[in-house]
Structures are given as structure tokens and as C-alpha cells.
Amino acid sequence: MSAGIDTAAAEQGAKAPDSGRLSRREVWTLVVVMAGTFMAIMDSFIVNVAVPSIRAELSASFSQVELAVSGYVLVYGLLLVTGGRLGDLYGTRRLFLAGTWVFLLGSLATGLAPIRCR
């Protein structure tokens, strides 16, 4: 009886002992996930570098601008946990692609928005 279970596991694609090498698919998955993480960190970095320009254009105090930046980071952290749970429910690939598109479109809209001063 145990021989039938072992045969079934082998037929379903049970892996051979790990050789320590990543498959091509695993490498591409790693690159894509790292690129997504890089985008989020780079966006935060860009906003922090732009703080002096934002203050000058909007006549905002340093604390007002930092509150906006902190709000962005807080919302990012909250949505990261929510996105992980939704990824469990609906599929990680689907949620990753949807999140990347929302981030891309939001960044594009922000970059193209006109600046209106008082």
C-alpha cells in the first residue's frame, strides 16, 4: 500500500533532492519581487529628496511635509499587510500585478499633476 502512495507522489511531480540551484522560473520570480520592493523604496527616497522643493512650492513647513511623507509610509505598511492577506485569498501573482499597476498609475498621475500655489 505504501508503494502506491510513493508512486502517486512521484507522478504528481515530487521534486528530487535539492541541488542548491535555482530554476530559471525561480530566478525570474526573485528578480520581479526584488524590482517591486525596489520601486517602493525608491519612491520613498525620491519623495524625501524632493522635500525642500515641495516645501518651497507649497509654502509648507518641514513638519507638514514630513507628516505627508510619514502618512505615505504608514499607508504603505498597512496596505502591505492587507495585500498579503488578499494575495492568500486571490493569488499572489494576480495581486502583485494589480498592485504594481495601481502603483504605476498613481505615480504617473502624481507626476503629471499640475502644481497650483496659493
Side-chain angles (χ1 to χ4, degrees), residues 15-101:
K15 282 183 140 182
D18 191 11
S19 64
R21 293 181 159 229
L22 296 175
S23 69
R24 177 170 279 201
R25 181 180 177 99
E26 290 170 327
V27 169
W28 277 109
T29 301
L30 180 63
V31 168
V32 168
V33 169
M34 288 176 66
T37 303
F38 174 77
M39 280 177 20
I41 293 170
M42 180 59 94
D43 190 50
S44 204
F45 175 74
I46 289 169
V47 170
N48 279 307
V49 169
V51 163
S53 298
I54 294 170
R55 284 186 62 204
E57 289 290 328
L58 300 176
S59 301
S61 70
F62 183 76
S63 57
Q64 289 172 327
V65 174
E66 283 304 313
L67 181 64
V69 173
S70 298
Y72 166 77
V73 174
L74 178 65
V75 169
Y76 171 74
L78 292 172
L79 291 178
L80 191 64
V81 173
T82 305
R85 180 63 181 133
L86 290 173
D88 291 342
L89 295 173
Y90 298 107
T92 53
R93 182 179 181 161
R94 179 184 297 173
L95 255 292
F96 182 81
L97 290 173
T100 302
W101 276 106

Coordinates of all heavy atoms in Angstrom, one line a residue, residues 15-101:
K15 N 9.6 16.6 -6.1 CA 11.0 17.1 -6.5 C 12.0 16.1 -6.0 O 11.9 15.5 -5.0 CB 11.3 18.4 -5.9 CG 10.6 19.6 -6.6 CD 11.1 20.8 -5.9 CE 11.4 21.9 -6.9 NZ 11.8 23.1 -6.2
A16 N 13.1 16.0 -6.8 CA 14.2 15.3 -6.4 C 15.0 16.1 -5.4 O 14.7 17.3 -5.2 CB 15.1 15.0 -7.6
P17 N 15.9 15.5 -4.7 CA 16.6 16.2 -3.7 C 17.2 17.5 -4.3 O 17.7 17.5 -5.4 CB 17.7 15.3 -3.2 CG 17.2 13.9 -3.5 CD 16.3 14.1 -4.7
D18 N 17.2 18.6 -3.5 CA 17.6 19.9 -4.0 C 19.1 19.9 -4.2 O 19.9 19.6 -3.4 CB 17.2 21.0 -2.9 CG 17.4 22.4 -3.5 OD1 17.5 22.5 -4.7 OD2 17.3 23.3 -2.7
S19 N 19.4 20.4 -5.4 CA 20.9 20.5 -5.8 C 21.4 21.9 -5.4 O 22.6 22.1 -5.6 CB 21.0 20.3 -7.3 OG 20.4 21.4 -8.0
G20 N 20.6 22.8 -4.9 CA 21.1 24.1 -4.5 C 21.0 25.1 -5.6 O 21.4 26.3 -5.4
R21 N 20.6 24.7 -6.7 CA 20.5 25.7 -7.9 C 19.1 26.1 -8.0 O 18.1 25.4 -7.8 CB 20.9 25.0 -9.2 CG 22.4 24.7 -9.2 CD 22.8 24.1 -10.5 NE 24.2 24.3 -10.7 CZ 24.7 24.8 -11.7 NH1 24.0 25.1 -12.8 NH2 26.0 24.9 -11.8
L22 N 18.9 27.4 -8.4 CA 17.6 27.9 -8.7 C 17.2 27.6 -10.1 O 18.0 27.7 -11.0 CB 17.5 29.4 -8.4 CG 17.8 29.9 -7.0 CD1 17.8 31.4 -6.9 CD2 16.7 29.3 -6.1
S23 N 15.9 27.3 -10.3 CA 15.5 27.2 -11.7 C 15.3 28.5 -12.3 O 15.4 29.6 -11.7 CB 14.1 26.4 -11.7 OG 13.1 27.3 -11.2
R24 N 15.2 28.5 -13.6 CA 15.0 29.8 -14.4 C 13.8 30.6 -13.9 O 13.8 31.8 -13.7 CB 14.9 29.5 -15.9 CG 14.7 30.8 -16.7 CD 14.8 30.4 -18.1 NE 16.2 30.4 -18.4 CZ 16.8 30.6 -19.5 NH1 16.1 30.7 -20.6 NH2 18.1 30.6 -19.7
R25 N 12.7 29.9 -13.6 CA 11.5 30.5 -13.1 C 11.7 31.1 -11.7 O 11.2 32.2 -11.5 CB 10.4 29.5 -13.1 CG 9.0 30.0 -12.6 CD 8.0 28.9 -12.6 NE 6.7 29.4 -12.1 CZ 5.7 29.8 -12.8 NH1 5.8 29.7 -14.2 NH2 4.6 30.2 -12.3
E26 N 12.4 30.4 -10.9 CA 12.7 30.9 -9.5 C 13.6 32.2 -9.6 O 13.3 33.1 -8.9 CB 13.3 29.9 -8.7 CG 12.4 28.7 -8.3 CD 13.1 27.6 -7.6 OE1 14.3 27.3 -8.0 OE2 12.5 26.9 -6.8
V27 N 14.5 32.2 -10.5 CA 15.4 33.4 -10.7 C 14.5 34.6 -11.2 O 14.6 35.7 -10.6 CB 16.5 33.1 -11.7 CG1 17.2 34.4 -12.0 CG2 17.5 32.1 -11.1
W28 N 13.7 34.4 -12.1 CA 12.8 35.5 -12.6 C 11.8 35.9 -11.6 O 11.6 37.1 -11.4 CB 12.1 35.1 -13.9 CG 12.9 35.2 -15.1 CD1 13.5 34.3 -15.9 CD2 13.4 36.5 -15.7 NE1 14.2 34.8 -16.9 CE2 14.2 36.2 -16.8 CE3 13.2 37.8 -15.4 CZ2 14.8 37.1 -17.6 CZ3 13.8 38.8 -16.2 CH2 14.5 38.4 -17.2
T29 N 11.3 35.0 -10.8 CA 10.4 35.4 -9.7 C 11.1 36.3 -8.7 O 10.6 37.3 -8.3 CB 9.8 34.1 -9.0 OG1 9.1 33.4 -10.0 CG2 8.9 34.5 -7.9
L30 N 12.4 35.9 -8.4 CA 13.2 36.7 -7.4 C 13.5 38.1 -8.0 O 13.3 39.1 -7.3 CB 14.5 35.9 -7.1 CG 15.5 36.6 -6.2 CD1 14.8 36.8 -4.8 CD2 16.7 35.8 -6.1
V31 N 13.8 38.1 -9.3 CA 14.1 39.4 -9.9 C 12.9 40.3 -9.9 O 12.9 41.5 -9.5 CB 14.6 39.2 -11.3 CG1 14.6 40.5 -12.1 CG2 16.0 38.6 -11.3
V32 N 11.7 39.8 -10.2 CA 10.5 40.6 -10.2 C 10.1 41.1 -8.8 O 9.7 42.2 -8.6 CB 9.3 39.8 -10.9 CG1 8.0 40.5 -10.7 CG2 9.6 39.6 -12.4
V33 N 10.2 40.2 -7.9 CA 9.8 40.6 -6.5 C 10.8 41.6 -6.0 O 10.4 42.6 -5.3 CB 9.8 39.4 -5.6 CG1 9.7 39.8 -4.1 CG2 8.6 38.5 -5.9
M34 N 12.1 41.5 -6.3 CA 13.1 42.5 -5.8 C 12.8 43.8 -6.5 O 13.0 44.9 -5.9 CB 14.5 42.0 -6.1 CG 14.9 40.9 -5.1 SD 16.5 40.1 -5.5 CE 17.6 41.5 -5.2
A35 N 12.4 43.8 -7.8 CA 12.1 45.0 -8.5 C 10.9 45.7 -7.9 O 10.9 47.0 -7.8 CB 11.9 44.7 -10.0
G36 N 9.9 45.0 -7.5 CA 8.8 45.6 -6.9 C 9.1 46.2 -5.5 O 8.7 47.4 -5.2
T37 N 10.0 45.6 -4.8 CA 10.4 46.1 -3.5 C 11.3 47.4 -3.7 O 11.1 48.4 -3.1 CB 11.2 45.1 -2.7 OG1 10.4 43.9 -2.5 CG2 11.7 45.6 -1.4
F38 N 12.1 47.3 -4.8 CA 13.0 48.5 -5.1 C 12.1 49.7 -5.5 O 12.4 50.8 -5.1 CB 13.9 48.1 -6.3 CG 14.7 49.2 -6.8 CD1 15.8 49.7 -6.1 CD2 14.4 49.9 -8.0 CE1 16.5 50.8 -6.6 CE2 15.1 50.9 -8.4 CZ 16.2 51.4 -7.7
M39 N 11.0 49.4 -6.2 CA 10.2 50.6 -6.7 C 9.6 51.3 -5.4 O 9.6 52.5 -5.4 CB 9.0 50.0 -7.5 CG 9.4 49.8 -9.0 SD 8.1 49.1 -10.0 CE 6.6 49.5 -9.3
A40 N 9.1 50.5 -4.5 CA 8.5 51.1 -3.3 C 9.6 51.9 -2.5 O 9.3 53.0 -2.0 CB 7.9 50.1 -2.4
I41 N 10.7 51.4 -2.3 CA 11.8 52.0 -1.5 C 12.3 53.3 -2.3 O 12.5 54.3 -1.7 CB 12.9 51.1 -1.2 CG1 12.4 50.0 -0.2 CG2 14.2 51.8 -0.7 CD1 13.4 48.9 0.0
M42 N 12.5 53.1 -3.6 CA 12.9 54.3 -4.4 C 11.9 55.4 -4.4 O 12.3 56.6 -4.4 CB 13.2 53.8 -5.9 CG 13.6 54.9 -6.8 SD 15.2 55.7 -6.2 CE 16.3 54.8 -7.1
D43 N 10.6 55.1 -4.4 CA 9.6 56.1 -4.4 C 9.7 56.9 -3.1 O 9.6 58.1 -3.1 CB 8.2 55.5 -4.5 CG 7.1 56.5 -4.7 OD1 7.3 57.4 -5.6 OD2 6.1 56.5 -4.0
S44 N 9.9 56.2 -2.0 CA 10.1 56.9 -0.7 C 11.3 57.8 -0.7 O 11.3 58.9 -0.2 CB 10.1 55.9 0.4 OG 9.7 56.4 1.6
F45 N 12.4 57.3 -1.3 CA 13.6 58.0 -1.4 C 13.5 59.3 -2.2 O 13.9 60.4 -1.8 CB 14.7 57.1 -2.0 CG 16.0 57.8 -2.2 CD1 16.9 58.2 -1.1 CD2 16.4 58.2 -3.5 CE1 18.1 58.8 -1.4 CE2 17.6 58.8 -3.7 CZ 18.4 59.1 -2.6
I46 N 12.8 59.2 -3.3 CA 12.6 60.3 -4.2 C 11.8 61.4 -3.5 O 12.1 62.6 -3.6 CB 11.9 59.9 -5.5 CG1 12.8 59.1 -6.4 CG2 11.3 61.1 -6.3 CD1 12.2 58.4 -7.5
V47 N 10.7 61.0 -2.8 CA 9.9 62.0 -2.1 C 10.8 62.7 -1.0 O 10.7 63.9 -0.8 CB 8.7 61.3 -1.4 CG1 8.0 62.3 -0.5 CG2 7.7 60.9 -2.5
N48 N 11.6 62.0 -0.3 CA 12.5 62.6 0.7 C 13.5 63.5 0.1 O 13.8 64.6 0.7 CB 13.2 61.5 1.6 CG 12.2 61.0 2.7 OD1 11.7 61.7 3.4 ND2 12.1 59.7 2.7
V49 N 14.0 63.2 -1.0 CA 14.9 64.1 -1.7 C 14.2 65.4 -2.2 O 14.8 66.5 -2.2 CB 15.6 63.4 -2.9 CG1 16.4 64.3 -3.7 CG2 16.6 62.3 -2.3
A50 N 13.0 65.2 -2.5 CA 12.2 66.4 -3.1 C 11.6 67.2 -2.0 O 10.9 68.2 -2.3 CB 11.1 65.9 -4.0
V51 N 11.8 66.9 -0.7 CA 11.2 67.7 0.4 C 11.5 69.2 0.3 O 10.6 70.0 0.5 CB 11.5 67.1 1.8 CG1 11.3 68.1 2.9 CG2 10.8 65.8 2.0
P52 N 12.7 69.6 0.1 CA 13.0 71.0 0.0 C 12.2 71.7 -1.1 O 11.6 72.8 -0.9 CB 14.5 71.1 -0.2 CG 15.0 69.9 0.3 CD 14.0 68.9 0.0
S53 N 12.1 71.1 -2.3 CA 11.3 71.7 -3.4 C 9.8 71.7 -3.1 O 9.2 72.7 -3.4 CB 11.5 70.8 -4.7 OG 12.9 70.9 -5.0
I54 N 9.3 70.7 -2.4 CA 7.9 70.6 -2.1 C 7.6 71.7 -1.1 O 6.6 72.5 -1.2 CB 7.6 69.2 -1.5 CG1 7.7 68.2 -2.5 CG2 6.1 69.3 -0.9 CD1 7.6 66.8 -2.0
R55 N 8.5 71.9 -0.1 CA 8.3 73.0 0.9 C 8.3 74.4 0.2 O 7.4 75.2 0.5 CB 9.4 73.0 1.9 CG 9.2 71.8 2.9 CD 10.3 71.9 4.0 NE 10.1 73.2 4.7 CZ 11.1 73.8 5.4 NH1 12.3 73.2 5.5 NH2 10.9 74.9 6.1
A56 N 9.2 74.6 -0.7 CA 9.3 75.9 -1.4 C 8.0 76.1 -2.2 O 7.5 77.2 -2.2 CB 10.5 76.0 -2.2
E57 N 7.6 75.1 -3.0 CA 6.5 75.3 -3.9 C 5.2 75.5 -3.2 O 4.3 76.2 -3.7 CB 6.4 74.1 -4.9 CG 7.5 74.0 -5.9 CD 7.4 75.1 -7.0 OE1 6.3 75.5 -7.3 OE2 8.4 75.6 -7.4
L58 N 5.0 74.8 -2.1 CA 3.7 74.8 -1.4 C 3.7 75.7 -0.2 O 2.7 75.7 0.5 CB 3.3 73.4 -1.0 CG 3.1 72.4 -2.2 CD1 2.8 71.0 -1.6 CD2 2.1 72.8 -3.1
S59 N 4.8 76.3 0.1 CA 4.9 77.2 1.3 C 4.5 76.4 2.6 O 3.8 76.9 3.4 CB 4.1 78.4 1.2 OG 4.5 79.2 0.1
A60 N 5.0 75.2 2.6 CA 4.7 74.3 3.8 C 5.8 74.2 4.7 O 7.0 74.4 4.4 CB 4.4 72.9 3.2
S61 N 5.5 74.0 6.0 CA 6.6 73.9 7.0 C 7.2 72.5 6.9 O 6.6 71.6 6.2 CB 6.0 74.1 8.4 OG 5.2 73.0 8.7
F62 N 8.4 72.3 7.5 CA 9.0 71.0 7.4 C 8.1 69.9 8.0 O 8.0 68.8 7.5 CB 10.4 71.1 8.1 CG 11.2 69.8 8.1 CD1 11.8 69.5 6.9 CD2 11.2 69.0 9.1 CE1 12.5 68.3 6.8 CE2 11.9 67.8 9.1 CZ 12.6 67.4 7.9
S63 N 7.5 70.2 9.2 CA 6.7 69.2 9.8 C 5.5 68.9 9.0 O 5.0 67.7 9.0 CB 6.2 69.7 11.2 OG 5.5 71.0 11.1
Q64 N 4.9 69.8 8.2 CA 3.7 69.5 7.4 C 4.2 68.5 6.3 O 3.4 67.5 6.0 CB 3.2 70.7 6.8 CG 2.4 71.6 7.7 CD 2.0 72.9 7.1 OE1 2.7 73.5 6.3 NE2 0.9 73.5 7.6
V65 N 5.3 68.7 5.7 CA 5.8 67.9 4.6 C 6.2 66.5 5.2 O 5.8 65.5 4.6 CB 7.0 68.5 3.9 CG1 7.6 67.5 2.8 CG2 6.5 69.8 3.2
E66 N 6.8 66.5 6.3 CA 7.2 65.2 6.9 C 5.9 64.4 7.4 O 6.0 63.2 7.3 CB 8.1 65.4 8.1 CG 9.6 65.7 7.6 CD 10.1 64.6 6.7 OE1 10.0 63.4 6.9 OE2 10.6 65.0 5.6
L67 N 4.9 65.1 7.8 CA 3.7 64.4 8.1 C 3.1 63.7 6.9 O 2.6 62.6 6.9 CB 2.6 65.4 8.7 CG 1.3 64.8 9.1 CD1 1.5 63.8 10.2 CD2 0.3 65.9 9.5
A68 N 3.1 64.4 5.7 CA 2.7 63.7 4.5 C 3.5 62.5 4.1 O 3.0 61.5 3.7 CB 2.7 64.8 3.3
V69 N 4.8 62.7 4.2 CA 5.7 61.6 3.9 C 5.5 60.4 4.9 O 5.4 59.2 4.5 CB 7.2 62.0 3.9 CG1 8.1 60.8 3.8 CG2 7.5 63.0 2.9
S70 N 5.3 60.7 6.2 CA 5.1 59.6 7.1 C 3.7 59.0 6.9 O 3.6 57.8 7.1 CB 5.1 60.2 8.6 OG 6.4 60.7 8.8
G71 N 2.8 59.8 6.5 CA 1.5 59.2 6.1 C 1.6 58.2 5.0 O 0.9 57.1 5.0
Y72 N 2.4 58.5 4.0 CA 2.6 57.6 2.8 C 3.2 56.3 3.3 O 2.7 55.2 3.0 CB 3.5 58.3 1.8 CG 4.1 57.3 0.8 CD1 3.3 56.8 -0.3 CD2 5.4 56.8 0.9 CE1 3.7 55.9 -1.2 CE2 5.8 55.9 0.0 CZ 5.0 55.4 -1.0 OH 5.5 54.5 -1.9
V73 N 4.2 56.4 4.2 CA 4.9 55.2 4.6 C 4.0 54.4 5.5 O 3.9 53.1 5.4 CB 6.2 55.6 5.4 CG1 6.8 54.3 6.0 CG2 7.2 56.2 4.4
L74 N 3.1 55.0 6.3 CA 2.2 54.3 7.2 C 1.1 53.6 6.3 O 0.9 52.4 6.5 CB 1.5 55.3 8.1 CG 0.4 54.7 9.0 CD1 1.1 53.7 10.0 CD2 -0.3 55.8 9.8
V75 N 0.6 54.3 5.3 CA -0.4 53.6 4.5 C 0.2 52.5 3.7 O -0.4 51.4 3.5 CB -1.0 54.7 3.5 CG1 -1.9 54.0 2.4 CG2 -1.9 55.7 4.3
Y76 N 1.5 52.7 3.2 CA 2.2 51.6 2.5 C 2.3 50.4 3.4 O 2.0 49.2 3.0 CB 3.6 52.1 2.1 CG 4.4 51.0 1.5 CD1 4.2 50.4 0.3 CD2 5.5 50.5 2.3 CE1 5.0 49.4 -0.2 CE2 6.3 49.4 1.8 CZ 6.0 48.9 0.5 OH 6.8 47.9 0.1
G77 N 2.7 50.6 4.7 CA 2.8 49.4 5.6 C 1.5 48.7 5.9 O 1.4 47.5 5.9
L78 N 0.4 49.5 6.0 CA -0.9 48.9 6.3 C -1.4 48.1 5.0 O -1.9 47.1 5.2 CB -1.9 50.0 6.6 CG -1.7 50.7 8.0 CD1 -2.6 51.9 8.1 CD2 -1.9 49.7 9.1
L79 N -1.2 48.7 3.9 CA -1.6 48.0 2.6 C -0.8 46.8 2.3 O -1.2 45.9 1.7 CB -1.7 49.0 1.5 CG -2.8 50.1 1.5 CD1 -2.7 51.0 0.3 CD2 -4.1 49.4 1.6
L80 N 0.5 46.8 2.8 CA 1.3 45.7 2.6 C 0.8 44.4 3.3 O 0.7 43.3 2.7 CB 2.7 46.0 3.1 CG 3.9 45.0 2.7 CD1 4.1 45.0 1.2 CD2 5.1 45.5 3.4
V81 N 0.3 44.6 4.5 CA -0.3 43.5 5.3 C -1.6 43.1 4.7 O -1.8 41.9 4.5 CB -0.5 43.9 6.8 CG1 -1.2 42.9 7.5 CG2 0.9 44.2 7.4
T82 N -2.4 44.0 4.3 CA -3.7 43.7 3.7 C -3.5 43.0 2.3 O -4.2 42.1 2.0 CB -4.5 45.0 3.5 OG1 -4.6 45.7 4.7 CG2 -5.9 44.7 2.9
G83 N -2.5 43.5 1.6 CA -2.2 42.9 0.3 C -1.7 41.5 0.4 O -2.0 40.6 -0.4
G84 N -1.0 41.2 1.5 CA -0.5 39.8 1.7 C -1.7 38.9 2.0 O -1.7 37.8 1.5
R85 N -2.6 39.4 2.8 CA -3.8 38.5 3.0 C -4.7 38.4 1.8 O -5.1 37.3 1.5 CB -4.6 39.2 4.2 CG -5.9 38.4 4.5 CD -5.6 37.1 5.1 NE -6.8 36.4 5.4 CZ -7.0 35.1 5.0 NH1 -6.1 34.4 4.4 NH2 -8.2 34.6 5.3
L86 N -4.9 39.4 1.0 CA -5.6 39.3 -0.2 C -4.9 38.4 -1.2 O -5.5 37.7 -2.0 CB -5.8 40.7 -0.8 CG -6.8 41.6 -0.1 CD1 -6.8 43.0 -0.7 CD2 -8.2 41.0 -0.1
G87 N -3.6 38.4 -1.2 CA -2.8 37.5 -2.0 C -3.0 36.1 -1.7 O -3.1 35.2 -2.6
D88 N -3.2 35.8 -0.4 CA -3.5 34.4 0.0 C -4.9 34.0 -0.5 O -5.1 32.9 -0.8 CB -3.5 34.3 1.6 CG -2.1 34.5 2.2 OD1 -1.2 34.3 1.4 OD2 -2.0 34.8 3.4
L89 N -5.8 35.0 -0.5 CA -7.2 34.7 -0.9 C -7.3 34.6 -2.5 O -8.0 33.7 -3.0 CB -8.2 35.7 -0.4 CG -8.3 35.8 1.1 CD1 -9.2 37.0 1.5 CD2 -8.9 34.5 1.6
Y90 N -6.7 35.5 -3.2 CA -7.0 35.6 -4.6 C -5.8 35.2 -5.5 O -5.9 35.3 -6.7 CB -7.4 37.0 -5.0 CG -8.7 37.4 -4.3 CD1 -8.7 38.3 -3.3 CD2 -9.9 36.9 -4.7 CE1 -9.9 38.7 -2.6 CE2 -11.1 37.2 -4.1 CZ -11.1 38.1 -3.1 OH -12.2 38.5 -2.4
G91 N -4.7 35.0 -4.9 CA -3.5 34.6 -5.7 C -2.4 35.7 -5.7 O -2.7 36.8 -5.9
T92 N -1.2 35.3 -5.3 CA -0.2 36.3 -5.2 C 0.2 36.9 -6.5 O 0.5 38.1 -6.5 CB 1.1 35.6 -4.6 OG1 1.4 34.5 -5.3 CG2 0.8 35.2 -3.1
R93 N 0.2 36.2 -7.5 CA 0.6 36.8 -8.8 C -0.4 37.8 -9.3 O 0.0 38.9 -9.7 CB 0.7 35.7 -9.9 CG 1.1 36.2 -11.2 CD 1.2 35.1 -12.2 NE 1.7 35.7 -13.5 CZ 2.2 35.0 -14.5 NH1 2.4 33.7 -14.3 NH2 2.6 35.5 -15.6
R94 N -1.7 37.5 -9.2 CA -2.7 38.5 -9.5 C -2.7 39.7 -8.7 O -2.7 40.9 -9.2 CB -4.1 37.8 -9.4 CG -5.2 38.7 -9.7 CD -6.6 38.1 -9.5 NE -6.8 36.9 -10.3 CZ -7.8 36.1 -10.1 NH1 -8.7 36.3 -9.2 NH2 -7.9 35.0 -10.9
L95 N -2.5 39.6 -7.4 CA -2.4 40.8 -6.5 C -1.2 41.6 -6.7 O -1.2 42.8 -6.7 CB -2.5 40.4 -5.0 CG -3.8 40.6 -4.4 CD1 -4.2 42.0 -4.2 CD2 -5.0 39.9 -5.0
F96 N 0.0 40.9 -7.0 CA 1.2 41.6 -7.3 C 1.1 42.4 -8.5 O 1.5 43.6 -8.5 CB 2.4 40.6 -7.4 CG 3.7 41.3 -7.6 CD1 4.4 41.8 -6.5 CD2 4.3 41.4 -8.8 CE1 5.6 42.5 -6.7 CE2 5.5 42.0 -9.0 CZ 6.1 42.6 -8.0
L97 N 0.5 41.9 -9.6 CA 0.4 42.6 -10.8 C -0.6 43.8 -10.7 O -0.4 44.9 -11.1 CB -0.1 41.7 -11.9 CG 0.9 40.7 -12.4 CD1 0.3 39.7 -13.4 CD2 2.1 41.4 -13.0
A98 N -1.7 43.5 -10.0 CA -2.7 44.6 -9.7 C -2.1 45.7 -8.9 O -2.2 46.9 -9.2 CB -3.9 44.1 -9.0
G99 N -1.4 45.4 -7.9 CA -0.7 46.4 -7.0 C 0.4 47.2 -7.8 O 0.5 48.4 -7.6
T100 N 1.1 46.5 -8.6 CA 2.1 47.2 -9.4 C 1.5 48.2 -10.4 O 2.0 49.3 -10.5 CB 3.0 46.1 -10.2 OG1 3.6 45.2 -9.3 CG2 4.1 46.8 -11.0
W101 N 0.4 47.8 -11.0 CA -0.3 48.7 -11.9 C -0.9 49.9 -11.2 O -0.8 51.0 -11.7 CB -1.4 48.0 -12.7 CG -0.8 47.3 -13.9 CD1 -0.6 45.9 -14.1 CD2 -0.4 47.9 -15.1 NE1 -0.1 45.7 -15.3 CE2 0.1 46.9 -16.0 CE3 -0.3 49.2 -15.5 CZ2 0.6 47.2 -17.2 CZ3 0.2 49.5 -16.8 CH2 0.7 48.5 -17.6

